[in-house]
Amino acid sequence: MNIPSSIVTMLAGILLTLVSIWVGQNHGLLPAEASKEAPLIDGLFNTMMTISTGLFLLVVGVLIYSAFKFRQRPGDEADGPPVHGNIPLEILWTGIPAIIVLGLSIYSFEVYNAIGGLDPMGHSPIAHSKAAHQMAKMPGAAIAATLDTPPDSITEGQTRNQDIQDQAVQDPATASVRKDLPQKKDAPTLGTTSPRIGPTPENQGMPPEFVVNATGLQYAWIFTYPDTGIVSGELHLPVGREVLLNISANDVLHAFWVPEYRLKQDAVPGRQTELRFTPSLVGEYPVICAELCGPYHGAMKTKVIAQTEADFNAWVAEQKVASAEGLGAAIATNPSDRSTDEFLAPYTHEMGIHADLLKQLHPSSEGSHSSAS
Ligand SMILES: [Cu+2]
């Protein structure tokens, strides 16, 4: 029986397509989807997997077929046919990849927009909060503004990177964790925070449901919760609530990466970066530093613990009790009478920083402490 080659080609094409689609959906290469953003990223990944499986099978298939079909036969000493150029074929194999690349770029652009990445002129809701307005009225705020930035250069709705940093360190715990590094003001993009994964298009203009400040240092992550004053080496998050991570670094570049969330963000000394997302699955996932940051970079790991709202609230309550007990045991004084570095002293070892370092940050409190004793 002699089947026409057009039928064979068509059947091979159908088989190739079916296999590619199956591989694209069942490759099993990705970890759990633990954030609302993850399925969008995975859709893009699976599409690329489908296309690359198809191309791989096509190219390798034709190669193997040709090597077998057109192999040299015994006694065949003749030259091959003098083929030189094939315009339709060249148009085809240039056109198809061009269409694929263009399609994927549009798709990835859409995904990036959907997770909140495309908001270059966006402004942080923090800048419009009450605290930010109070801060602007603080003594020195006007002088700082004239020294660093001509006021006209900040247009309405933009947020200076410095404002985000100032806002973050209003929380005493964050202020103590973050060394007093001078912030590089308004660079490279004047007036905006960058880079950032901001709110999704439907949450545009709305403040995040809650904020955690994440600070990277050699070789640990420290998470501070401005709402509650909690300092933690592990990131506890309630599922279903949108969180804004306000990320910075104390020493060198780090990068916050949770593979299960499909999200990664640089931690840059002297600048603020943002990562806004919604955890969607209860569980414990690794937090990995994704930027080579020194000899122990590989050990810079912690975990994110995504909890139900009730479990998260229980953890918050527990942390508050633990810190209050710690204070009571150390010195029988009212916690509110104590300076930030005294408050944090019991935790400095856990945080991987020296108690002396905290004191250096607050020379005035150090002075008053020694004069009192
Ligand atoms: Cu690191």
Side-chain angles (χ1 to χ4, degrees):
M1 193 176 74
N2 205 355
I3 306 165
S5 68
S6 58
I7 303 281
V8 174
T9 309
M10 193 184 73
L11 289 176
I14 291 170
L15 187 69
L16 188 102
T17 308
L18 291 177
V19 169
S20 304
I21 291 171
W22 187 86
V23 171
Q25 300 301 315
N26 298 283
H27 51 76
L29 292 172
L30 297 171
E33 291 177 342
S35 76
K36 262 189 171 173
E37 288 74 9
L40 296 164
I41 309 278
D42 287 6
L44 176 63
F45 184 88
N46 292 347
T47 304
M48 291 199 285
M49 198 68 196
T50 304
I51 294 171
S52 34
T53 302
L55 285 176
F56 175 81
L57 291 178
L58 180 70
V59 171
V60 174
V62 169
L63 209 65
I64 290 171
Y65 171 80
S66 305
F68 179 77
K69 171 91 176 165
F70 305 109
R71 70 189 185 281
Q72 191 188 30
R73 313 282 166 146
D76 179 6
E77 298 292 328
D79 282 343
V83 177
H84 182 262
N86 186 328
I87 298 291
L89 191 62
E90 283 175 22
I91 290 173
L92 192 75
W93 73 36
T94 307
I96 290 176
I99 291 167
I100 290 173
V101 169
L102 196 68
L104 282 178
S105 65
I106 293 169
Y107 184 10
S108 59
F109 197 79
E110 284 299 314
V111 169
Y112 196 51
N113 186 36
I115 66 170
L118 286 178
D119 188 21
M121 298 306 286
H123 49 90
S124 169
I126 293 168
H128 301 283
S129 67
K130 216 169 113 196
H133 285 289
Q134 282 168 351
M135 201 171 61
K137 289 179 198 141
M138 273 158 51
I143 299 165
T146 39
L147 282 177
D148 296 305
T149 326
D152 296 344
S153 63
I154 302 288
T155 58
E156 179 60 36
Q158 284 187 321
T159 307
R160 290 195 316 152
N161 205 261
Q162 181 68 39
D163 294 339
I164 315 264
Q165 162 69 3
D166 292 346
Q167 175 70 18
V169 299
Q170 284 201 334
D171 169 39
T174 308
S176 300
V177 168
R178 292 191 180 178
K179 287 193 291 183
D180 198 14
L181 285 175
Q183 292 289 299
K184 189 161 173 59
K185 296 178 184 185
D186 311 322
T189 313
L190 180 79
T192 54
T193 315
S194 65
R196 70 197 291 255
I197 296 288
T200 55
E202 62 268 25
N203 284 346
Q204 207 67 249
M206 294 194 337
E209 291 189 53
F210 85 118
V211 178
V212 181
N213 295 328
T215 307
L217 49 110
Q218 288 170 321
Y219 298 91
W221 291 105
I222 300 175
F223 303 101
T224 41
Y225 293 69
D227 295 347
T228 47
I230 291 172
V231 179
S232 175
E234 293 171 343
L235 178 59
H236 285 251
L237 296 174
V239 295
R241 258 162 82 185
E242 192 195 38
V243 58
L244 168 66
L245 279 189
N246 178 13
I247 304 170
S248 193
N250 272 9
D251 33 41
V252 298
L253 290 174
H254 302 277
F256 176 91
W257 179 34
V258 179
E260 279 78 0
Y261 289 165
R262 311 286 192 273
L263 293 169
K264 198 187 272 178
Q265 184 62 282
D266 281 347
V268 186
R271 285 193 68 78
Q272 304 303 305
T273 55
E274 292 179 21
L275 189 58
R276 219 165 132 163
F277 62 96
T278 309
S280 62
L281 193 65
V282 170
E284 290 188 16
Y285 313 108
V287 176
I288 300 165
C289 178
E291 183 71 62
L292 182 60
C293 60
Y296 302 105
H297 159 70
M300 189 170 161
K301 284 175 186 160
T302 181
K303 52 189 173 177
V304 52
I305 299 160
Q307 300 171 298
T308 60
E309 192 76 38
D311 286 352
F312 176 76
N313 291 336
W315 175 78
V316 169
E318 198 179 286
Q319 293 297 305
K320 282 181 173 167
V321 169
S323 67
E325 272 177 357
L327 289 171
I331 305 171
T333 49
N334 183 345
S336 61
D337 289 340
R338 310 177 76 203
S339 71
T340 311
D341 45 297
E342 285 172 320
F343 181 86
L344 283 170
Y347 308 104
T348 50
H349 183 69
E350 264 179 65
M351 287 164 11
I353 51 180
H354 288 288
D356 291 351
L357 198 115
L358 290 176
K359 290 199 179 112
Q360 285 167 15
L361 292 176
H362 301 280
S364 58
S365 69
E366 164 76 18
S368 65
H369 186 74
S370 51
S371 67
S373 58

